[in-house]
Amino acid sequence: MNIEALISKAAGEAVKALYGMEPTDKMLQLQKTRSEFEGNLTLVVFPFVKAARKSPEQTAQEIGQYLQEHCEAISGFNVVKGFLNLSIGDGAWLSLLQAIDEDAHFGTKQAGENSPLVMIEYSSPNTNKPLHLGHVRNNLLGWSLAQIMEANGNRVVKTNIVNDRGIHICKSMLAWLKYGNGETPESSGKKGDHLIGDYYVSFDKHYREEVKQLVAEGMDEEKAKQEAPLIKEAHAMLVKWEQGDPEVRALWEKMNAWVYAGFDETYKKMGVSFDKIYYESQTYLKGKAKVEEGLSKGLFERHDDGSVWADLTDEGLDQKLLLRSDGTSVYMTQDIGTAEMRFQDYPIDKMIYVVGNEQNYHFQVLSILLDRLGFKWGRELTHFSYGMVELPNGKMKSREGTVVDADDLMALMVEDAYQTSMELGKFDDMTEEERREIARIVGMGALKYFILKVDARKNMLFNPEESIDFNGNTGPFIQYTYARIRSILRKSGECGTAVANSTLYTLHSTLSDKEIELIQKMNEFGAAVEQAGKDYSPSGIANYTYELTKIFNQFYHDYSILNEPDEQKKTVRLVLARNVAKIIKTAMGLLGIEVPERM
């Protein structure tokens, strides 16, 4: 039992013994004592004043006296109005430290066979362009959320829906046919997704020229956009794809294969993966069938032009198109089809979609439609809505070729980490291979931490230069602290003072305020993981990890570990250090961030 639970139980017994009332858990409010007051934990006594028939100060005094007499963990108390500040004895803190030390999975829960199954969808790329900075935020959030949900005892399936069909795909295909001269990833030396992205940009360039020419000849701009030969050809290619034309389908498969090989390389560098990948080309027909089924049950209605709609006015919304008059599907239809396939594949208890906040309305509607169609998790589906990410020089547009490419960004981060580490002398006495590996870990850690520490709901500005800093709230600062602790532990082993699982609470070691603060912060890790799971908040884990790291560095600045002459104190400090390292590694792992053994 942790200290909060122990004190809460004892306080409940005190209230019952003193005033004859059975307090609820909600009434027993324990919080960390404010820094300006003496104590470790504070009990709010206002809920017991009525039963005590005494002032808040008298009530707090009586409860404090009872706890000091009956609870070994309490070493003292003081009263500030209706707040009872409790001081915890060193023995209780050492006992807690030992419990943390002995728990290899401290702060996390293990899933069992009957644990809830949570499916998380993230990434959702189009096969007409490489992944960009926006995808980076999406993938990092999705992967981290999956780790956090697992750490809260859920079974998790990580899934991806690839948008591999539609007019945007045909634009890249048509441009390659017209301007590609048979170029391949092998002949060009480009990754497949980059190659196809170049042709998407090329299509837009030629299309704009055609529109400009038509406007110059006197055509209205909107009509010119519809009448330009290139867009007409792209639409004709889409119709052929829908009809299963062998040549178009063969070209589509070949070019998509190039893109998937490129995606796989990017995902590997990013450190993310999926348990199951779905493809829009396989789900849209399922969606159409599901809509027809809903139509036959009277859930939807067909208009005179043949289009199918869902009337959501009773939900305070409008009518939503599900099938166009020509029978073709829309994104909503495809999402229904994907849900149908997933529900057949997995007994999902909870479905989380990691998609940008511009799709808030879409998922509000999807939730209602899935519920009407009988999906048990439909009404409770979660849209993990996140804000846009921008660079200091503004927004990105993929068709104009002004996106920040994910591969380029990751390469830049790793190279910056290498150069910064060299300048700071952190690579002394290392082989070039070790330097490159640590630069990869630090560069990717800087990128991931900088993005994940921000509340996902907010728009954010990503500044690569700010992210690689070995001081402040950054990934490298936390990684360096971890490596420093590992170095201390290695040296302690070399000096013959390696720490066994000592019975810490039997030691007659007086703890400093900094050591107590550190144990208390470590003890909060489980609550931080639980809260991050409830709030779907990787930033909660990032902020906790930074606070823990900051407290350790303050402690390390004030107290020696290896040069401490008192062997008992040295033992406690080594156990403290190795558990801070353990929690940092676990917490950073929840963010998808590696930590280096040396730096």
Side-chain angles (χ1 to χ4, degrees):
M1 184 183 292
N2 66 32
I3 284 176
E4 283 89 346
L6 180 73
I7 304 301
S8 183
K9 183 172 182 287
E13 291 167 356
V15 170
K16 185 178 180 182
L18 292 168
Y19 312 123
M21 74 175 288
E22 292 270 8
T24 62
D25 290 344
K26 195 174 181 181
M27 295 169 79
L28 295 164
Q29 295 178 44
L30 275 176
Q31 55 200 36
K32 201 171 180 178
T33 302
R34 286 164 57 177
S35 57
E36 61 265 35
F37 300 119
E38 186 182 344
N40 306 115
L41 291 171
T42 297
L43 178 70
V44 182
V45 304
F46 294 110
F48 320 121
V49 168
K50 189 176 179 182
R53 297 181 181 179
K54 292 173 184 170
S55 70
E57 290 85 350
Q58 288 176 301
T59 305
Q61 192 70 35
E62 286 184 355
I63 295 172
Q65 198 67 48
Y66 184 96
L67 287 173
Q68 190 165 7
E69 291 171 6
H70 293 84
C71 182
E72 288 184 8
I74 304 296
S75 62
F77 71 92
N78 66 85
V79 175
V80 180
K81 297 183 179 176
F83 299 92
L84 172 60
N85 300 321
L86 301 166
S87 296
I88 312 300
D90 289 349
W93 289 121
L94 289 168
S95 181
L96 175 58
L97 178 57
Q98 179 167 331
I100 294 170
D101 188 51
E102 291 173 351
D103 186 353
H105 303 288
F106 176 72
T108 64
K109 298 170 187 169
Q110 305 298 302
E113 286 182 19
N114 299 318
S115 297
L117 180 66
V118 179
M119 179 175 278
I120 302 176
E121 175 194 293
Y122 57 97
S123 200
S124 310
N126 295 327
T127 57
N128 64 319
K129 56 191 175 187
L131 303 179
H132 56 62
L133 179 56
H135 290 114
V136 172
R137 191 178 197 191
N138 180 294
N139 280 281
L140 297 184
L141 286 169
W143 177 264
S144 179
L145 186 60
Q147 309 315 304
I148 290 167
M149 296 307 286
E150 278 189 355
N152 276 285
N154 299 286
R155 293 177 296 142
V156 174
V157 176
K158 300 182 290 292
T159 185
N160 186 359
I161 174 71
V162 177
N163 301 305
D164 64 339
R165 63 175 286 278
I167 191 67
H168 50 295
I169 311 298
C170 291
K171 288 177 181 179
S172 293
M173 290 164 60
L174 184 61
W176 183 83
L177 279 178
K178 284 182 169 291
Y179 320 118
N181 297 314
E183 187 179 28
T184 67
E186 291 75 22
S187 70
S188 65
K190 294 178 182 176
K191 284 176 78 239
D193 51 335
H194 287 219
L195 180 69
I196 302 307
D198 288 346
Y199 284 103
Y200 184 61
V201 173
S202 176
F203 176 94
D204 191 66
K205 178 186 168 189
H206 287 89
Y207 171 56
R208 282 167 178 266
E209 288 171 0
E210 288 184 350
V211 171
K212 188 177 178 183
Q213 181 62 37
L214 290 172
V215 170
E217 293 170 5
M219 189 179 287
D220 173 75
E221 186 175 356
E222 284 306 310
K223 189 176 182 184
K225 287 179 179 178
Q226 297 170 10
E227 295 297 323
L230 266 178
I231 199 68
K232 284 189 165 185
E233 282 188 78
H235 279 292
M237 180 179 274
L238 179 58
V239 171
K240 284 185 175 182
W241 184 93
E242 295 263 1
Q243 294 169 345
D245 179 276
E247 284 187 24
V248 171
R249 285 292 179 115
L251 175 63
W252 171 74
E253 287 177 3
K254 177 170 75 174
M255 291 178 71
N256 272 356
W258 293 345
V259 173
Y260 297 145
F263 283 173
D264 287 347
E265 204 176 310
T266 305
Y267 287 138
K268 188 176 180 182
K269 284 179 188 171
M270 208 181 292
V272 304
S273 61
F274 310 92
D275 301 307
K276 178 81 174 181
I277 297 179
Y278 293 89
Y279 299 90
E280 193 183 306
S281 57
Q282 297 168 358
T283 67
Y284 81 105
L285 292 175
K286 289 264 187 185
K288 289 170 74 171
K290 200 70 183 170
V291 168
E292 293 289 352
E293 180 190 315
L295 189 65
S296 68
K297 291 179 179 177
L299 301 174
F300 310 131
E301 55 189 48
R302 194 185 296 279
H303 288 190
D304 292 341
D305 65 355
S307 59
V308 177
W309 297 72
D311 186 354
L312 305 176
T313 51
D314 59 337
E315 299 276 356
L317 304 174
D318 54 10
Q319 294 201 348
K320 182 64 184 176
L321 176 67
L322 299 179
L323 288 175
R324 297 187 187 95
S325 57
D326 61 3
T328 56
S329 62
V330 295
Y331 273 116
M332 189 64 70
T333 325
Q334 290 146 200
D335 275 348
I336 291 170
T338 308
E340 168 81 350
M341 289 184 74
R342 287 170 175 163
F343 193 69
Q344 290 170 353
D345 292 343
Y346 299 95
I348 303 167
D349 295 302
K350 182 77 178 173
M351 182 74 214
I352 302 173
Y353 295 86
V354 181
V355 182
N357 57 17
E358 74 277 9
Q359 294 293 329
N360 286 353
Y361 178 75
H362 175 90
F363 284 99
Q364 186 183 0
V365 172
L366 179 63
S367 174
I368 296 167
L369 294 180
L370 291 178
D371 181 60
R372 288 186 182 181
L373 287 166
F375 294 93
K376 66 175 184 178
W377 45 265
R379 186 63 77 164
E380 281 78 39
L381 75 78
T382 296
H383 172 207
F384 182 84
S385 172
Y386 64 90
M388 296 298 100
V389 55
E390 297 174 8
L391 287 168
N393 57 357
K395 293 184 177 180
M396 308 174 294
K397 295 180 182 176
S398 55
R399 65 177 178 272
E400 294 175 16
T402 59
V403 298
V404 179
D405 180 80
D407 293 310
D408 292 345
L409 178 61
M410 289 190 288
L412 170 70
M413 295 297 295
V414 172
E415 187 56 33
D416 282 357
Y418 182 89
Q419 295 300 336
T420 302
S421 298
M422 286 292 281
E423 288 165 15
L424 294 174
K426 294 187 182 296
F427 281 165
D428 295 350
D429 304 321
M430 289 188 191
T431 65
E432 184 61 15
E433 187 179 359
E434 284 178 306
R435 290 171 180 170
R436 290 294 172 187
E437 175 61 5
I438 290 173
R440 181 193 67 78
I441 291 171
V442 173
M444 289 305 298
L447 169 65
K448 292 179 179 185
Y449 188 85
F450 197 91
I451 286 176
L452 293 174
K453 74 177 181 179
V454 178
D455 182 343
R457 293 166 295 186
K458 295 179 179 176
N459 290 347
M460 69 169 292
L461 191 70
F462 177 70
N463 189 330
E465 290 176 14
E466 284 182 21
S467 67
I468 298 183
D469 189 336
F470 288 87
N471 296 296
N473 191 6
T474 66
F477 170 67
I478 296 169
Q479 289 173 317
Y480 182 64
T481 301
Y482 175 85
R484 170 187 273 170
I485 295 172
R486 297 299 296 166
S487 173
I488 292 167
L489 295 174
R490 281 193 299 273
K491 286 175 183 173
S492 75
E494 290 162 10
C495 298
T497 54
V499 185
N501 283 329
S502 308
T503 308
L504 293 174
Y505 61 83
T506 64
L507 297 178
H508 299 288
S509 179
T510 304
L511 295 174
S512 67
D513 289 344
K514 282 279 194 298
E515 288 166 325
I516 289 172
E517 185 183 13
L518 204 45
I519 297 170
Q520 195 165 6
K521 192 66 186 178
M522 285 193 284
N523 188 45
E524 294 170 11
F525 181 49
V529 172
E530 188 174 328
Q531 196 62 47
K534 286 177 181 174
D535 297 341
Y536 307 119
S537 175
S539 64
I541 297 296
N543 294 329
Y544 167 84
T545 312
Y546 172 60
E547 288 298 321
L548 175 67
T549 305
K550 197 164 60 170
I551 292 168
F552 175 81
N553 278 286
Q554 290 166 353
F555 155 74
Y556 185 70
H557 178 269
D558 293 347
Y559 297 92
S560 174
I561 296 178
L562 293 178
N563 295 324
E564 169 55 54
D566 184 315
E567 285 300 319
Q568 292 196 346
K569 285 186 176 179
K570 182 191 283 188
T571 296
V572 169
R573 289 174 189 173
L574 284 167
V575 176
L576 267 173
R578 78 175 176 201
N579 282 284
V580 169
K582 177 176 76 178
I583 291 171
I584 286 175
K585 186 172 185 176
T586 302
M588 293 292 264
L590 296 181
L591 302 176
I593 299 174
E594 298 170 73
V595 283
E597 290 296 306
R598 58 182 297 215
M599 273 174 78

